[in-house]
Amino acid sequence: MRTLLPSDPFMDLSDKNFWVRGQWPAKWICETVHASTEPVVVAFRRRFRLDAAARVRVHVSADERYELFVDGERVGRGSERGDLGHWYFETYDLDLAAGEHVIVARTWWLGPQGPCPFAQFSVRSRFVLASEGAHAALLDTGKAAWECKRLGGYTFLPPGMAWGAGAKVRISGKDASWGFERGEGDGWKPAHAVGQCGNADRMMDGNATWFLSPAKLPPMLDQPLNVGVARHVEVIASDDTTKLFVSSTAHLAAEVDGWNRLLSGKSSLVIPARTRRRVIVDLQDYHTAYPELTVSGGKGSSVRIHWAEGMFVKESHGYGPKGNRDEIDGKLFEGIGDAFEPDGGRTRRFESLWWESGRYLEVVVMTADDALTIDALRLRETHYPFQWDATFSSSDPRLAAVMVPAIRTLEACSHETYMDCPYYEQLMYVGDTRLEVLVTYAMTRDARLPRKAIELFDQSRDTSGLTQSRYPSFAKQMIPPFSLWWVCMVHDYAMWRGEPAFVRARLLGVRSVIDAFCAFLNADGLVEAPHGWNFMDWVPSWKNGMPLEGDTGVSGPLNWQFALTLRLAASLEDMVGDPEQAARCRRLADRLSAAIDVTFWDERRGLYADDRAKTTFSEHAQCLALIGGNVPPARRPRVESGLLADADLARTTIYFSHYLFETYRMLGRTDLIIGRMDLWFSLGGLGLHTTLEAPEPSRSDCHAWGAHPLHHYFASILGIRPATFGFATVRIEPKLGPLAWAKGTLAHPQGVIEADLRASGAAVTGTVTLPHGVSGTFVQGTKVISLKPGLNSI
């Protein structure tokens, strides 16, 4: 059995247009025709017989989520996250022998506005399965005799400090429907067929709700792991451990070996009757995974598994200092997770409906009058299945050391969408995603997740023309500067990956964002207080991450960002062949830049101010002015020197330092990039395996905008960047700075680009290898060398 994608050569939907353009032959089914107002978990079952072995292709979707089982084995999860206008379905090829079979789907519906995750759209509980070929009458929902039953034992718990990630779950074993995945148990009843389903195109039903589209991504990683070591075991008085600091004096060292043998998968563990234990498990890395707990006996017992990114120095409700993440003694575990209540049966397997994340587990076990045998405690790791094609090393080993936590962070923040963080919100924000995507372009040839991200943000635009700041999300939020970064994302895609039809299809959205910002231009020709949260960076002195006047007035950095975006939009228009639109964007950029120059230039300091009164100055304003190419030539040297030397500028933090690094590259000062990487170099000393959201004390220990230095290893230090649309040609302008040598392999649509370079006085020597059909230039100072496909000596 395998999952297929529309791009898979084995799968051809082109001659089956009803799967992607109109009404399906199958129907949505449900447990009850009455709309539920409470969260519900429902299983759907179809038992059937095949007279001969067959490969059966089925298309599957559900609101909100499903797990698909065939003859008791899980073959897939879905539906891939999208929105109501782009509700995805997965396709499976099922290789079935002659004889009896059962297909079961476990579905769950948490509600359209919680306790489901913010990123999950929902309407009402539904399921659909449609087959191709001769098996429609045997398998299609709405035609075949599908049955269903509500699965008992589920209670949904508030997510606590992980406010956007959705409800956690408590499962009562005595009320659970054991064996449902094999179609076992009683209480099954006929499912109700409640309406046609299909795509918006050519749909005749004006009340259609879910417009189905083929899944855009491969299945997420599903890898069983036995990981972790027990760092602390203690007796507890109750299951309320929220204020129980870890104390080495309470540690039961004699019980550690049994727990570690369980965690490694070597043996089971017996918890005697009337026993209460708390165990702190160190996973020794950051994981995003489904916990799986298999137990026998233990009627009346409970097992709670909570997750945390790190232990807290003091009670803080998840937002306080953590100190060194390797240390646990004297610290407090504040976490989130799930609870399981065994019923006394044998080999009962409990698992969460959605994955959890973090480095530490708090396992709390409380038994009643029966001993509990924990047969297994393991994880099923999940994230986007990246295939990393890139390598980097240099004379400074600190740079390569950062790759490990940066890659781990990108993995943890990449699932059916990119995410800002896997622990707290699990939301795809434009500002974060642009940086994640730039790293993706350098590290892997797979562009499916970047393409989906760009499309989703395009689909999020409201009547103003602006994209939403985070999407998919049922809780709408507008960060107007993020709409500008989305335009830059489209430009990035055009250069790094190409695909003319895809880029051309985004231009309506690009132009809408530009026009929306033009509506905010005041009488002075400056952007004034766009409606929404005008976040730019978590600068400590800025209110809510906004530069001065960013919320109600005229902000210099925000205006510079619009000017930069206008120039990139003009470049996009040139690429797709619309010179008139390109000329319009350049005229707007020139007028805006002139107005900014008049309003924000401070002659005394030789810098651009953040506010009209010229009371505050930032690295942000200087960076955006310089990389946008909008500074008058006579002023440029003063801005450059001020950026490099003025100690009173508000400094960029982890996120916006990407744009600072871009500016340093442009100035030929990659030594300053490395000089500003102390926070990344300190990760190991802090016990971190991932990159932070912000300087300490950081809320999130795993925030993928902190992975952006990887982009600069390739694009700034090695200097490998696309020169023309779709990376058809390459420009390599290395800036080794303080490095004696650097080498790496960068992912390219046609293969990989390899560079092995050494500093030789003021010059660079080495080799560059380009993929077949790719040419370019190697630039050093005023010297330009032509590059051909294959090996080039420099």
Side-chain angles (χ1 to χ4, degrees), residues 556-596:
L558 182 55
N559 274 273
W560 281 126
Q561 186 184 350
F562 186 33
L564 164 66
T565 304
L566 283 167
R567 298 207 182 277
L568 292 182
S571 174
L572 266 174
E573 299 286 2
D574 281 335
M575 290 184 209
V576 299
D578 197 327
E580 293 182 1
Q581 289 283 355
R584 174 182 180 255
C585 288
R586 289 192 176 93
R587 287 195 304 272
L588 289 168
D590 290 343
R591 288 201 297 266
L592 178 61
S593 298
I596 300 170

Side-chain angles (χ1 to χ4, degrees), residues 54-75:
R55 167 170 282 191
V56 180
R57 177 168 297 164
V58 296
H59 309 297
V60 183
S61 190
D63 184 346
E64 309 165 6
R65 307 285 305 182
Y66 73 82
E67 293 171 284
L68 190 68
F69 299 87
V70 178
D71 298 331
E73 297 295 323
R74 182 167 45 224
V75 299

